[in-house]
Amino acid sequence: MKKYLHLLFCLLSLTAFSQNIRYEGVIKDTLGAPLEMANIMAINKDTKAMDAYAITNDAGKFQMSLKANANYTIKASYIGYSAYEAELKTGTTNISKTINLHEGIDLQGVQIVKEMPVTIKGDTIVYNADSFKNGTEKKLGDVLKKLPGVEVNADGEIEVEGKKVQKVMVEGKDFFDGDTKIATKNIPADALDKIQVLRNYNEVSNLKGLENNEENVALNIKLKEGKKNFWFGEMLAGIGVGHKEDRHIVNPKLFYYNPKYSINVIGNLNNIGELPLTMQDYFKFSGGFKNMMRKGGTSFNVTSNDLSILGLRNNRAKEIDTQFGAANFSYNPTKAWTLSGFGIFSASKTDLETNSRTVRTDNLPDGTTATVTEDRQDLTRQKTNLGLFKLSSSYVPSDKVHFDYDAFIKVSDQKETNSVYSSLLDDIYTNKKQKPFSISQNLNYYYTLNAKNVFAFEMQHLYQEEDPFYNANLQLQPFQLPGYVVGQNRNDLTQNRLVKTNKLDAKFDYYYMLTPKSNINVTVGNTFSNQHFNSHIFQILDNGNTNDLNDPQNNNDVDYTFNDVFLGLHYKFITGKFTFNPGFSLHSYTMNNEQLQSEFKNNFVRVLPDFYALYQIKKSETLTYNFSLTNNFTDINKLAEGYVFSNYNSLFSGNRTLENSLSQVHSLRYFKYNMFNFENIFANITYTKQTDGVKSKALFDGVNQVSSSVNMQSAFADESFTANANYGRSFLRYYKASIGGNFNWSKNNNIRVFQNGVEEIQTTDSYTQNYNVKFSTNFKKLPNLELGYGFTKNDFYSDTFFVDSPSVTLEYFFLDAFSLTSDYTFYHNRNKANTIDNEYDFLNASLSYQKKDSKWEYKLAATNLLNTTSLNDSSFNQLGGSSSFSQYLVQPRYIIFSLKYNL
């Protein structure tokens, strides 16, 4: 296999280099100074196509590969300078040239900048979409994958230079704010004109330059002229055959944009496994709300009572039936006022079948070891209805005033039934239900008094209700609970919970500009949270009667109040190529929880420093260091002392006396984007140390566990170290390659309690390594390949797992109407203990037909052509040090014929 790949790479390289010569040189101004970021392109006079383009580096150098014995028009431009144009006839030898540009703007120069495949202006990178298309692209995500420095992962998330894109806009208007997947999967590729990458993004112009926005990245999509002031989109319907039953998909998409308002409508009805919105997407969907307390020094996160329903994904499903609808709008009543929002609804029915093996090796107090192995088969059925709604208002009457209000609502109705066979616990049946509701509101006001004084007020409020219902029916009695009736044929336990949260964050910032390159920031803020937790356990007897387990140990009725008042001071200044922003915050904390007819209070004061430094090596090369000291607080879920069922074999009891943990985080990030040879490099290392961590204290009885939370002694700190790096390069215009990897080490401490009452601190280390290499072509009239190889090593406490995953993707647009795409991935899973060694692969393919200028497209698509039945995964649980290897049954082969009409 390796020999064939090497031969293919050599042939591609020889084809490119044997017919090309190198055209290089320097672009300068009339005084001889080099011009960085100048644009130069070569237009083939015979084909009228642009054969090559380049952007100069900091020394004004450029380099292009041109065809030998060809006639070209060379065009060069630079903002503020007159355009350069000259004729060039190539031979068989390399050419070197110095080009001088004269000051003065003309229309011709502006046009050259517009035609360039890639241009850079300040913090904005502009990609000309058509320059990177080969004819097979259908959606925005297909185009983004071909852009230098841009990646789209399997979940549809966009990364630019290693940073996740936080917002996607179309014509400057938000597109389903808070999720990039909807944009990558739905915006038509043929509507794209320019793709603008907005680095150091801050949507509030009042704060531009005052805050550190180097990690903020947004995308703005510019549409082609024919897509403005007109409805555009597509109507798709398809039918097909699969295993045992027919398959279908209906997928309409409508878009309308003009300067005053925009409307986007998306629908999807299918049973072929397409999930426009997964449960992971739902729970992480932020609605675009930012973490306004990120510099506050306090971490108080409201945890979710989601019953682990969200842990199931579409690529691990045996069967999925989905209904999805979404609408997004933006409207400008006046030039200064913008109204926008969206509504999303998703309903799905999912069947899952999983086979797994979990192994835990215990080091016993007497020096011996004991191994517990459980084999399980899970049959799961889910039914979910998810809703997301947002309404936003933004009023910016001048460059001095900015006022925002947002309301974001999340509702859902989720049900899950599960049938489990355990080699240790026999037959188990569980039932889960929940209808969580939350509304988040955001109010922001920014005011620039003058060039030296800027004021900012930000406030966020969260109201959340969660009502998880859990029922477990077991053959064997799992736990000894006060009031439990023993001797029943089946052990039928049910728990109701209700958790209510009110959380308010507010802060006021004052920025004073000492000099044009330095400012002082004073912050006054407050975080206030009030939560109520109620739970009750009862037993259904064999005769159908209810046995209420009324003992206080089985129930919770808890109120918890948290308050943090803080004062922050930061000083930001720029000296040469360095930017520094040291600071600290002074906090006064008050906590009070009421349960079991008593109160527990805790008050204290703490100073928390932070530090930020940026070294601007060059315009597109930076080194950034961040340090923070953070107080981490748990919410009510770990304070409630009555028993809570985490699972049928897991019982948890909280600890009302828990204190905060203290974490220090150091991160160092390097970034370089070189337009001279189209390479991008980023690397990041992060070290975290957490003392007094809130950790688990667990008693294991086979696979059953009873646990509680404690503050770990300071001598036993949790630590983690993460490193990731990536090198990517586009060369000769037709090739893109990258190599990257990441490494994660973590050390976690928990307390094990043995049957004889002995307690022991258990330290577990885990190492995870991922490496990948990719090489792809992007020809206009030839077949295109993407070759990839991934390697994963998970070194857990009890075992080590390895995964090899080579892949190949084919794209070919031919006869001006046919588009062929196919992707193949092979997986080899194995472990160090030699108990697991299996292989599986997936092959998908599609062939579409659409004549030029025709509105109709005909497509034949096949999913899982090899009819692979399952995929595998490994995981590690730091509590108990157990490792699991799971096999998930997946959807069988589908063949779909679809018809699409483009509006």
Side-chain angles (χ1 to χ4, degrees):
M1 178 68 175
K2 293 181 179 179
K3 291 181 179 178
Y4 290 119
L5 294 179
H6 180 70
L7 178 61
L8 177 62
F9 179 81
C10 291
L11 289 174
L12 291 171
S13 301
L14 288 171
T15 300
F17 284 106
S18 62
Q19 299 177 359
N20 292 316
I21 61 100
R22 186 170 65 249
Y23 179 65
E24 61 185 4
V26 180
I27 299 179
K28 302 179 179 181
D29 63 15
T30 53
L31 298 178
L35 295 176
E36 184 180 4
M37 300 296 181
N39 302 306
I40 184 169
M41 66 173 71
I43 308 298
N44 191 307
K45 297 182 69 174
D46 297 325
T47 64
K48 308 302 180 184
M50 180 175 59
D51 280 0
Y53 67 93
I55 296 177
T56 58
N57 65 7
D58 58 329
K61 293 181 179 179
F62 67 89
Q63 181 177 301
M64 295 188 293
S65 179
L66 303 181
K67 294 178 181 179
N69 301 312
N71 295 305
Y72 285 98
T73 298
I74 303 297
K75 297 183 179 182
S77 68
Y78 189 78
I79 298 296
Y81 288 73
S82 298
Y84 169 89
E85 183 172 321
E87 304 300 314
L88 175 70
K89 181 175 177 58
T90 62
T92 57
T93 59
N94 297 332
I95 301 172
S96 180
K97 176 73 172 178
T98 297
I99 298 174
N100 294 103
L101 298 184
H102 300 269
E103 289 191 46
I105 302 176
D106 62 16
L107 294 176
Q108 186 182 7
V110 174
Q111 182 64 26
I112 290 177
V113 172
K114 183 178 180 181
E115 292 175 353
M116 281 290 294
V118 185
T119 57
I120 297 180
K121 184 178 180 181
D123 291 329
T124 301
I125 305 176
V126 182
Y127 296 96
N128 182 19
D130 286 342
S131 299
F132 298 92
K133 295 178 185 176
N134 59 38
T136 61
E137 301 81 9
K138 302 300 180 184
K139 299 293 178 285
L140 170 64
D142 301 327
V143 179
L144 291 177
K145 292 176 182 179
K146 296 178 171 62
L147 305 183
V150 181
E151 298 290 338
V152 181
N153 63 26
D155 293 326
E157 296 176 326
I158 309 168
E159 293 185 358
V160 176
E161 303 155 2
K163 307 169 189 174
K164 285 190 177 180
V165 172
Q166 301 169 339
K167 180 193 288 283
V168 173
M169 298 173 286
V170 179
E171 294 292 333
K173 303 178 187 298
D174 290 348
F175 189 88
F176 293 97
D177 196 13
D179 183 72
T180 61
K181 177 181 176 179
I182 296 179
T184 58
K185 300 288 187 181
N186 291 284
I187 297 178
D190 61 4
L192 308 177
D193 182 23
K194 300 290 186 293
I195 299 172
Q196 298 175 335
V197 176
L198 311 176
R199 300 180 293 180
N200 305 326
Y201 178 73
N202 193 327
E203 55 190 321
V204 181
S205 60
N206 307 66
L207 303 182
K208 191 74 173 177
L210 299 176
E211 296 186 327
N212 306 316
N213 302 305
E214 284 72 21
E215 298 299 313
N216 298 344
V217 181
L219 287 189
N220 183 44
I221 308 301
K222 303 293 289 184
L223 301 174
K224 291 184 175 179
E225 288 302 320
K227 304 299 181 180
K228 300 175 186 178
N229 299 309
F230 296 98
W231 283 98
F232 69 94
E234 60 191 39
M235 306 292 287
L236 181 146
I239 58 173
V241 294
H243 182 64
K244 294 183 179 180
E245 63 179 45
D246 294 336
R247 300 292 165 176
H248 64 266
I249 180 171
V250 178
N251 189 196
K253 302 170 186 177
L254 300 172
F255 309 93
Y256 184 87
Y257 282 87
N258 70 25
K260 194 172 183 65
Y261 66 91
S262 67
I263 301 173
N264 309 290
V265 181
I266 301 169
N268 195 315
L269 176 69
N270 78 86
N271 65 351
I272 64 173
E274 283 193 10
L275 271 178
L277 185 75
T278 66
M279 294 195 66
Q280 283 86 348
D281 297 331
Y282 171 80
F283 280 99
K284 73 182 181 182
F285 207 112
S286 65
F289 279 42
K290 62 181 180 180
N291 180 13
M292 56 179 279
M293 294 298 187
R294 62 189 181 279
K295 287 198 309 180
T298 298
S299 175
F300 180 85
N301 295 316
V302 179
T303 56
S304 176
N305 290 267
D306 53 54
L307 291 174
S308 299
I309 294 179
L310 81 162
L312 305 172
R313 300 202 294 266
N314 61 322
N315 67 339
R316 297 179 179 179
K318 184 179 179 181
E319 188 74 31
I320 304 177
D321 197 325
T322 301
Q323 301 174 36
F324 175 84
N328 173 224
F329 81 94
S330 179
Y331 173 61
N332 293 91
T334 67
K335 187 177 181 179
W337 186 20
T338 301
L339 292 171
S340 62
F342 61 76
I344 300 173
F345 171 77
S346 177
S348 63
K349 297 178 182 178
T350 309
D351 293 335
L352 302 106
E353 183 174 341
T354 308
N355 300 303
S356 62
R357 168 168 288 187
T358 301
V359 179
R360 190 183 78 245
T361 301
D362 295 333
N363 297 315
L364 303 178
D366 60 4
T368 62
T369 61
T371 301
V372 179
T373 301
E374 180 189 25
D375 292 315
R376 284 182 22 169
Q377 182 183 39
D378 291 68
L379 301 175
T380 305
R381 169 159 288 189
Q382 288 183 354
K383 183 178 180 180
T384 62
N385 294 302
L386 311 174
L388 297 161
F389 309 93
K390 183 182 179 183
L391 179 64
S392 300
S393 174
S394 179
Y395 182 62
V396 188
S398 68
D399 58 359
K400 290 189 174 184
V401 177
H402 187 123
F403 177 73
D404 287 334
Y405 171 77
D406 305 280
F408 179 51
I409 297 174
K410 298 171 72 172
V411 295
S412 66
D413 183 357
Q414 306 161 34
K415 299 176 182 178
E416 177 184 295
T417 58
N418 191 25
S419 173
V420 181
Y421 176 76
S422 166
S423 60
L424 300 179
L425 300 178
D426 214 333
D427 291 322
I428 304 158
Y429 305 97
T430 65
N431 180 28
K432 301 176 182 180
K433 294 189 295 184
Q434 58 189 17
K435 293 183 178 180
F437 167 83
S438 71
I439 177 170
S440 301
Q441 298 181 83
N442 184 74
L443 183 70
N444 301 319
Y445 180 75
Y446 308 95
Y447 177 63
T448 301
L449 179 63
N450 51 42
K452 285 187 171 292
N453 298 277
V454 178
F455 303 88
F457 174 75
E458 299 174 319
M459 181 170 65
Q460 289 183 1
H461 176 255
L462 168 69
Y463 175 76
Q464 179 173 285
E465 280 190 13
E466 298 173 292
D467 60 344
F469 169 92
Y470 182 73
N471 170 259
N473 188 300
L474 303 90
Q475 179 66 44
L476 303 176
Q477 181 181 342
F479 305 106
Q480 298 290 337
L481 298 172
Y484 188 82
V485 176
V486 300
Q488 302 295 299
N489 291 326
R490 297 289 296 180
N491 295 274
D492 194 326
L493 288 170
T494 301
Q495 178 174 259
N496 290 312
R497 271 187 280 172
L498 178 62
V499 185
K500 292 185 178 181
T501 300
N502 267 291
K503 181 172 178 279
L504 180 67
D505 294 300
K507 72 183 181 79
F508 173 80
D509 281 289
Y510 169 62
Y511 299 89
Y512 178 71
M513 298 295 297
L514 295 170
T515 70
K517 293 187 176 183
S518 65
N519 70 77
I520 292 178
N521 171 214
V522 179
T523 305
V524 178
N526 176 232
T527 294
F528 176 80
S529 173
N530 178 263
Q531 294 180 291
H532 179 73
F533 186 105
N534 182 281
S535 70
H536 176 62
I537 300 175
F538 59 91
Q539 176 189 12
I540 303 297
L541 305 179
D542 288 346
N543 60 13
N545 293 335
T546 299
N547 173 34
D548 284 313
L549 304 181
N550 291 320
D551 189 282
Q553 195 171 352
N554 302 321
N555 299 277
N556 284 292
D557 188 3
V558 187
D559 284 295
Y560 175 54
T561 301
F562 172 86
N563 192 55
D564 169 27
V565 179
F566 66 92
L567 173 69
L569 179 64
H570 289 82
Y571 174 49
K572 180 178 181 180
F573 62 97
I574 300 174
T575 173
K577 295 185 176 182
F578 291 91
T579 300
F580 296 100
N581 193 5
F584 68 90
S585 54
L586 173 65
H587 296 258
S588 175
Y589 297 105
T590 303
M591 289 149 285
N592 180 40
N593 74 75
E594 300 179 18
Q595 55 183 312
L596 303 173
Q597 287 91 42
S598 64
E599 293 184 347
F600 179 80
K601 296 184 178 180
N602 188 16
N603 306 309
F604 66 96
V605 176
R606 177 162 289 169
V607 177
L608 299 169
D610 59 86
F611 182 77
Y612 168 90
L614 170 69
Y615 175 32
Q616 191 76 44
I617 304 171
K618 295 179 182 177
K619 283 186 178 181
S620 293
E621 185 177 10
T622 60
L623 184 66
T624 308
Y625 170 73
N626 269 293
F627 163 76
S628 65
L629 197 63
T630 304
N631 268 354
N632 305 292
F633 294 87
T634 183
D635 72 347
I636 198 170
N637 288 279
K638 290 189 177 180
L639 301 176
E641 296 203 333
Y643 282 131
V644 173
F645 272 105
S646 304
N647 203 348
Y648 62 83
N649 63 349
S650 179
L651 196 64
F652 175 77
S653 174
N655 180 356
R656 68 188 305 179
T657 63
L658 286 177
E659 298 180 353
N660 68 286
S661 65
L662 184 66
S663 64
Q664 56 172 298
V665 180
H666 303 263
S667 68
L668 186 66
R669 177 185 177 87
Y670 173 78
F671 156 72
K672 180 180 180 181
Y673 191 70
N674 188 346
M675 295 300 293
F676 173 69
N677 52 12
F678 298 100
E679 68 176 6
N680 63 89
I681 307 170
F682 68 83
N684 182 79
I685 56 174
T686 301
Y687 171 75
T688 302
K689 183 176 183 180
Q690 185 179 61
T691 56
D692 301 316
V694 176
K695 306 299 295 182
S696 294
K697 179 179 179 180
L699 169 66
F700 286 87
D701 181 10
V703 293
N704 295 329
Q705 68 179 56
V706 180
S707 61
S708 61
S709 292
V710 295
N711 284 107
M712 188 62 67
Q713 303 171 25
S714 297
F716 296 92
D718 284 359
E719 296 178 87
S720 68
F721 176 82
T722 302
N724 60 78
N726 189 83
Y727 174 84
R729 182 173 176 181
S730 298
F731 49 98
L732 297 178
R733 192 183 175 192
Y734 304 110
Y735 304 100
K736 182 179 179 180
S738 66
I739 183 171
N742 63 72
F743 170 84
N744 178 270
W745 166 78
S746 63
K747 182 180 75 172
N748 296 283
N749 299 280
N750 294 282
I751 299 177
R752 285 289 306 275
V753 181
F754 295 92
Q755 297 293 335
N756 59 4
V758 174
E759 295 185 3
E760 180 182 273
I761 294 178
Q762 183 185 58
T763 301
T764 56
D765 292 84
S766 66
Y767 303 83
T768 299
Q769 302 173 60
N770 293 285
Y771 305 99
N772 63 81
V773 59
K774 292 181 182 179
F775 174 81
S776 61
T777 65
N778 192 17
F779 299 109
K780 293 289 185 180
K781 296 183 179 181
L782 294 175
N784 287 292
L785 287 176
E786 179 184 287
L787 305 176
Y789 174 76
F791 173 76
T792 300
K793 179 182 179 182
N794 292 318
D795 192 353
F796 298 144
Y797 178 74
S798 55
D799 204 350
T800 302
F801 298 90
F802 307 90
V803 181
D804 297 282
S805 56
S807 64
V808 58
T809 300
L810 169 68
E811 295 181 350
Y812 187 27
F813 182 73
F814 58 98
L815 300 179
D816 293 327
F818 290 92
S819 178
L820 172 66
T821 62
S822 179
D823 60 88
Y824 171 80
T825 307
F826 174 83
Y827 296 91
H828 180 200
N829 289 270
R830 60 198 188 280
N831 68 336
K832 188 176 181 180
N834 293 321
T835 58
I836 297 169
D837 193 335
N838 60 43
E839 300 174 347
Y840 59 93
D841 49 5
F842 288 95
L843 174 64
N844 305 307
S846 69
L847 177 66
S848 61
Y849 173 78
Q850 183 176 16
K851 287 185 177 181
K852 187 178 181 180
D853 300 326
S854 172
K855 293 183 177 294
W856 294 95
E857 179 189 83
Y858 306 88
K859 183 177 180 180
L860 186 66
T863 302
N864 192 7
L865 269 169
L866 303 177
N867 209 29
T868 299
T869 58
S870 62
L871 59 80
N872 302 320
D873 194 12
S874 59
S875 60
F876 171 73
N877 186 354
Q878 61 168 288
L879 183 59
S882 62
S883 58
S884 298
F885 185 82
S886 302
Q887 179 188 63
Y888 299 87
L889 270 68
V890 297
Q891 296 173 98
R893 180 193 299 121
Y894 301 151
I895 300 176
I896 303 292
F897 174 76
S898 61
L899 181 64
K900 184 175 70 174
Y901 178 74
N902 294 316
L903 298 178

